[in-house]
Amino acid sequence: MRPRRIELTGGPLRRWQDVNRTVSLPLAIQWLEKAGNIRNLRIAAGEADGDFRGPVYMDSDVHKILESAAWELQHAPDDAALTAFSAGTAQLLERAQQEDGYLDSHYQVASPGERYTRLVDSHEHYCAGHLMQAAVAAHRGAADPDGRLLAVARRCADHLAAVFLADPGPGLDGHPEVETALVELYRATGETRYLELATAFTERRGRGLVGRHKHGERHRQDHLPVREAPAMTGHAVRGLYLEAGVVDVAVETGDDELLAASIARWEDMVAARTSLTGGLGSRQVGEVFGERYELPPDLSYNETCASAASIQWSWRLLLATGEARYADLIERTLYNAFGAARSADGRTYYKGNPLQRRPDHADAVGDPRCRDEWFYSACCPPAVTRLVASLEHYAATQAGDTLHLHQYAPMELSLPFAGGELGLRVETDYPWRGQVAVTVTHAPDEPWALALRIPPWSTSTWIEAAGERGPAAPDESGYALLRRAWRPGDRVVLELDMTPRLTVPHPRIDAVRGCAAVERGPLVYCFEQADQAPGDAVDDLALPPDAAFEEVDVDDLDGVGRTVLLRTAAAAVSGDHEAGLPYRTHGGPHTDDTSRPATATAVPYFQWDNRGDGAMRVWMPLATY
Amino acid sequence: MRPRRIELTGGPLRRWQDVNRTVSLPLAIQWLEKAGNIRNLRIAAGEADGDFRGPVYMDSDVHKILESAAWELQHAPDDAALTAFSAGTAQLLERAQQEDGYLDSHYQVASPGERYTRLVDSHEHYCAGHLMQAAVAAHRGAADPDGRLLAVARRCADHLAAVFLADPGPGLDGHPEVETALVELYRATGETRYLELATAFTERRGRGLVGRHKHGERHRQDHLPVREAPAMTGHAVRGLYLEAGVVDVAVETGDDELLAASIARWEDMVAARTSLTGGLGSRQVGEVFGERYELPPDLSYNETCASAASIQWSWRLLLATGEARYADLIERTLYNAFGAARSADGRTYYKGNPLQRRPDHADAVGDPRCRDEWFYSACCPPAVTRLVASLEHYAATQAGDTLHLHQYAPMELSLPFAGGELGLRVETDYPWRGQVAVTVTHAPDEPWALALRIPPWSTSTWIEAAGERGPAAPDESGYALLRRAWRPGDRVVLELDMTPRLTVPHPRIDAVRGCAAVERGPLVYCFEQADQAPGDAVDDLALPPDAAFEEVDVDDLDGVGRTVLLRTAAAAVSGDHEAGLPYRTHGGPHTDDTSRPATATAVPYFQWDNRGDGAMRVWMPLATY
C-alpha cells in the first residue's frame, strides 16, 4: 500500500520533478499542438478539417501527457496551465469519443471502417490503455474533479469488454499495455470485467492471435504463452509492458504460477540482458532484446520507454514479493539509463541510451547520438514526464505494520496507521553522500517496523538508532528491519558505503571484455571528453586496475547541477594508428605499446551530454602495465 | 591488361566456379522465374498480364545473373541451359525495351509516367548499369554472338546520355553503379559519350542532387563531392560501387586528383572500418559504414554485396597503381568475408557476414544468422555468382614487359607477348600449402619479368629460380620481380610462410578487446561448435597467448571439401553465471576464476556454417593465466 502522502523535498529526483513541471510539460503540450496530436482529436470530434497527421499511436502521447499533468497537479494544484490542459483535453476526448465508446483518432479520421482490422500494428488497445492510465492518475489526484476523464476511460473499457471479452474476436494488439491499464482501472473502479478482460488478453497471448509481422511472432511476444516463455524476447518495450500486466493479473487473481513465470523472465533478463545502467533492449534492429550477453556499449538501443517500463515491472514484482532486488534494479535504472534520457534543462530527450559515444559519431549514418525535443514517433518524452511526475510513488510502501523505505531521497511522508498517523522526514544528500537520516515526526502508540533497503553495492553499511550503532543486518528480502514503539523525534541514521567501485563485466559480455566501469553508490559514471585534459582523447585513456578515485564535489556543474566528479590517475596510449589494417600478429611491435601518465575524470552517467557532443565512455579499458 | 586466357585448374576457387555453374546458376535462374523477375519483363514486353512483383530493382537481378552466365559460358561454352537462358533473356530484354531506349520493368509496369521522378530510391540507373555490365561481359565472352544484348545496353546508355548528359535533369540515382558500368561500356565500344556521362554523374555527386532520404544525404554519398569526401560513409554497397566508378573515371580521364581522393578513402577504410575478414559496412541500421573502429564481430553487417564491391574497387586501384596492398585486400576479402557468403554446396547465401554467432541466436529477433536460398531483396546471391564466374580475371595482369601474379591458385595462363606467346602453369596446393610453383610453358625470345606478390602475412618468404634459392625481396609495390629471358620449362618456386598466426586487434576496436584471432596464410579461422569436444561451449573457450597450433589436413570435411583444421591447447572457463547482474566489483570473487584445460579447434571462416547452426567465433578471448 502506498503512503497517503509523500513529498520529495530535495536532491536530483526533486530537481527532475521541478524541471518536469516548469519546462518539460509546457514544452510537451506545445508539441502536442505542433505535431498534430490535438488537431487529430479535434478532427475526430468534428471540430476541425484536414488529414490525420503522424503515426497511428498519436493519441497515446496525449494520454501520457495527460497522465503526467495529473501527477504534477498533485505537486502544484494551482498550476493554471496544467489545469487548463487537463480539463480541456478531457472535454475534447469526451467529444471525440464515439457513441459505442471507441476512441482512436487515427481510425476515426484516417481509416474509418478499418477498426480492429490490423491489430498487429494498429496500437488501438495500446492507445486505449494509456487513456485508462491517464484517467486513473487523474482520478487518484485532483485532476479530474468532475469525473469526466474516468467516464471516458470506462466507456472505452466497456466497449473493449463488449468486443473482446467473450472471445478473441478481431485478435490481440501488437503492442501490450492495455493489460496493466485494465487492472489499474479495475483497482480504481472495482469493475471486475476489466480484470477479466486483462486476464483474457494476457492468457490469449502466445497463440498466434496477434497476426503476421515482418519480424515474426517473437517480436510481438506472440510465440509462446506467458506461462511458458522462458525469457524476454522481441520488442523490448512491448515485452516489458506485457510483464507489468502479467504481474498485475497474477497478483489480482492469486495466480502464483503466472507470477513465477514472470519472475523467471526477470531473472534471466537481469543475469544476461541488462546494461550496467539498467538499459534494456540491446539490439537496434527491431528495438529488441538481443541474445544472452549481447550488450554492446555503443550499439545497445536501451530505449527510454524500456527503462520506464522496466521500472513499472520491477515495481509490481516488489509489491508482490517484498524483495529488495526489485527495488535495487529500479534504483539502478532510475539513476542511470532513465535519468540520462532527458537533458538537465528538461528540454531534450534520447530515445536510445548508449553507454558509449565515439568522437566521430556525427559523421556516421544511423541511430542519432544526441537528444532531441520531440520525435515523429514521440513515445519517449511522455514516458519520461509521466514517470518523473510520479517518482515519489516508488519511494516507500506500507505492508501490515511495516513501512518499507525503498528509495532514499530527501522527503516527508505520512500515512494513517492503527488509527493514528505515522510521519517520517528523510534528510540526506543522497546519492552524493551515503548518510540517510530518518526522523519520526508522527507516531501511533503501537509498535511498528521501519524497513530500510540495504543496496548490494554498499559493502559496509551501518545503522545508528536509539543511540546504538552497528552493522546493518538485512533480512532475506534485503531490508534491515527496525521494530519498536517509535516516538516523535526518534531518529535513525543509515550509513551507506559510497566508496567508488571499479566494476568488471561477466566474461561472456564480449563487447566490454578487458574493461571496467566506475560506480559510486547507485550511480554509474562515465568519462566525457569535456572533463579530460586537453589532448587526452577519451578513447585513448585506460584505467589502472588499482585506480584510486578522488571525489570532487561540484555545486553546479555548468548548469547540470550538483554533482560529484571522480578523478583518477590513468594511462593514455598513443592513439591513432599507422597505415594498413588495424590488426597485428600477437607479440609483434605495436605503435601503442607506449603509454604516458594522465588523469581521467568521470561524471555521473545521468548527467552526461549536457556539455558538448564529444566522446563518452562508461566502459574503460583496464591498463595492463 | 588482362591475359588472353586464364583458367583456374584446381583449389577452392575452381571449386567455387564449378559449383557456381552446376548448382548456383541453375538455381538462380529458377528463382528469377519464381520470384517474378522474368515475368515482370514479360509484362513490360506486353507478353504477360499481371502486376509487377518485388522491389523496384528486380531487373538488376536478371542482369547480374545474365552477367554471371556470360562469364561461366567462357568456362563451358557448351552449357546448353546457360546458352538458352542468355539468348532468351537478351531477346526478352530487347522486346521489353521501350522505343527511346528506356528499360526498367518496374516503371514500365507499376509506375508508368513516373520515370525518373524519385531517383533517390528508384534504382533506375542502378538497373541500367547492371544491364551494361551484363552486356559487356557477354560481349567479351561468347554469350552475345549476335550482339543483341550489347545493342540493348547501348540503346539504354544512349537514352541516359540524351536525358542526363547536358545537365543534371531529373537528378542522380540514389544507388551508384551506373558510373563504373558506363566506363566499362565505353571501353567495350569506344563511345566517348558514355565516359562523359560517367564523369558527369561522378562529379555531380555530393551536391544534393540525389534528393531527400530518411537517412539523409550522407547515406546516399550526396553530402560532399567525391573530390572532397575524406572517408567512406553511408550505405556501404552504394559507397563502394561509387568508388569503382570514381577510379574508372579518374583513370580514363587521367585525373590524378580524383584518384588520390579515392585512395585516401580506401586508406581510411582499411585502417579503421574493415573487419578482419575484409567485411565492410559495420552498422546494420541503414547497412552503413560505422564510426572509426566500430567493428563488432556479432553485429557487423558486412554485406556480401559490399565484399564484392570492395574487390571491384581494390581491383581498379591495383590496375591504376600497381601496388600489392590492393591485391592483399582482394585476397583477404575473397577468401574470408566473400568466401563465407555462400554455402559449400552452392545453394544458400548470407546477406550479412558476422564474425560471431551466439548459441541462442535462433531465439532472438533481428538480423537472421543463417543462409537462405534467395531473398525478397535478392541483391547478394547474384553478386556472388557474377564475381565467382569471373574470379580468374583477378589473378594476373600484364603491364609492359611484366606479368604480375596477384593471386595464387592452380592455373594455366597465356598471353600474346612481343609477337610471340607467353604461357605459364601455376601448380600449388594454395591456400592449404605455401608453395607455389610457376612453370614457363611458352616464352617469347625477349626477356620479360615475372612479378610475384609477396603477401604481408608471410614473414619468411623464399624464392627458388634457376637453381638459386633466396629470401624474397619485394619492391616498393610489394612484388618480387624476376626479369630474364625465360625458356619453356623454366620453373620458379615461391615459398610462403603458412605458420598459423595469433592476430590481435588495434586497441581502439572496442568490441574485440582482449581477444585474438587465428590466421593462416590468407585464411581467417573461426571456432565452430561442431568442432569442439562435447561439453566445451565455444563461448567458454579462451586461447593461450602462446598458442601453438597443430595443423590437421582433412581431405573432405563433411561435404565442405579439402581443409586444414587448426588445433591448440586452450582453457575452458566455467561458463554461465549465478543469479543477479553480470557485473562485479573488480577483485571480488568470480565464479569464472576457475578454468580447466581444453582443446580448441578452428576451421577456415569461409567454410563455416556448413555443419549445423551452432555458435561460432572468429575472435577468441585470450586466456590470462
Side-chain angles (χ1 to χ4, degrees), chain A residues 215-216 218-219 233-235 267 270-277 282-286 288-299 325 329 332 356-367 369 459 501-516 519 537 539-540 545-546 573 575-587 590-592 617 619-622, chain B residues 215-216 218-219 233-235 267 270-277 282-286 288-299 325 329 332 356-367 369 459 501-516 519 537 539-540 545-546 573 575-587 590-592 617 619-622:
Chain A
H215 284 311
R218 308 184 82 85
H219 190 266
T233 189
H235 190 268
E267 289 174 344
V270 168
R273 303 178 205 267
T274 304
S275 284
L276 185 66
T277 57
S282 68
R283 208 176 271 188
Q284 294 182 350
V285 176
V288 298
F289 283 102
E291 294 151 11
R292 282 174 66 81
Y293 304 110
E294 178 188 331
L295 294 163
D298 49 347
L299 296 170
R325 58 179 179 160
L329 186 65
R332 176 174 293 276
Q356 178 179 3
R357 184 165 75 178
R358 290 197 180 78
D360 59 330
H361 67 97
D363 295 334
V365 173
D367 197 43
R369 308 287 163 94
T459 50
R501 320 183 293 283
L502 212 53
T503 299
V504 295
H506 188 276
R508 281 245 185 153
I509 306 180
D510 294 299
V512 291
R513 189 183 314 285
C515 289
E519 296 184 275
D539 281 343
D540 285 342
D546 58 351
V573 294
D576 227 329
H577 179 54
E578 78 270 41
L581 286 165
Y583 309 105
R584 307 153 200 176
T585 299
H586 184 62
H590 291 219
T591 48
D592 306 288
R617 300 182 70 106
W619 291 102
M620 300 291 283
L622 277 173
Chain B
H215 284 310
R218 307 183 82 85
H219 190 267
T233 189
H235 190 268
E267 289 174 345
V270 168
R273 304 179 205 266
T274 304
S275 284
L276 185 66
T277 58
S282 67
R283 206 175 272 188
Q284 293 180 351
V285 176
V288 298
F289 282 101
E291 294 152 11
R292 282 174 66 82
Y293 304 110
E294 178 186 331
L295 293 163
D298 49 347
L299 296 170
R325 58 179 180 160
L329 186 66
R332 177 173 292 275
Q356 178 179 3
R357 184 165 75 178
R358 290 196 179 79
D360 59 331
H361 67 96
D363 294 335
V365 173
D367 195 44
R369 308 286 163 96
T459 49
R501 320 185 290 283
L502 212 52
T503 300
V504 295
H506 188 276
R508 281 244 183 151
I509 305 179
D510 295 301
V512 291
R513 190 183 314 285
C515 289
E519 297 183 276
D539 281 343
D540 285 342
D546 58 351
V573 294
D576 227 329
H577 178 56
E578 76 271 41
L581 286 166
Y583 310 105
R584 306 154 199 174
T585 299
H586 184 63
H590 291 220
T591 49
D592 307 288
R617 299 181 70 107
W619 292 102
M620 300 292 281
L622 277 173

Side-chain angles (χ1 to χ4, degrees), chain B residues 335-403:
Chain B
Y335 278 107
N336 300 292
F338 180 82
R342 189 164 70 188
S343 58
D345 64 8
R347 296 190 67 92
T348 57
Y349 300 84
Y350 275 114
K351 293 190 77 170
N353 295 278
L355 279 67
Q356 178 179 3
R357 184 165 75 178
R358 290 196 179 79
D360 59 331
H361 67 96
D363 294 335
V365 173
D367 195 44
R369 308 286 163 96
C370 53
R371 298 190 188 93
D372 210 341
E373 266 198 18
W374 205 250
F375 305 89
Y376 175 77
S377 173
C379 49
C380 291
V384 173
T385 58
R386 75 187 186 117
L387 180 55
V388 168
S390 56
L391 274 181
E392 67 270 27
H393 298 179
Y394 301 90
T397 53
Q398 180 199 355
D401 69 347
T402 305
L403 182 78

Side-chain angles (χ1 to χ4, degrees), chain A residues 203-222:
Chain A
E203 294 287 359
R204 286 172 191 164
R205 207 149 198 107
R207 301 171 201 279
L209 292 169
V210 170
R212 289 185 58 160
H213 180 262
K214 68 171 178 173
H215 284 311
E217 295 175 335
R218 308 184 82 85
H219 190 266
R220 304 303 212 220
Q221 291 82 34
D222 199 28

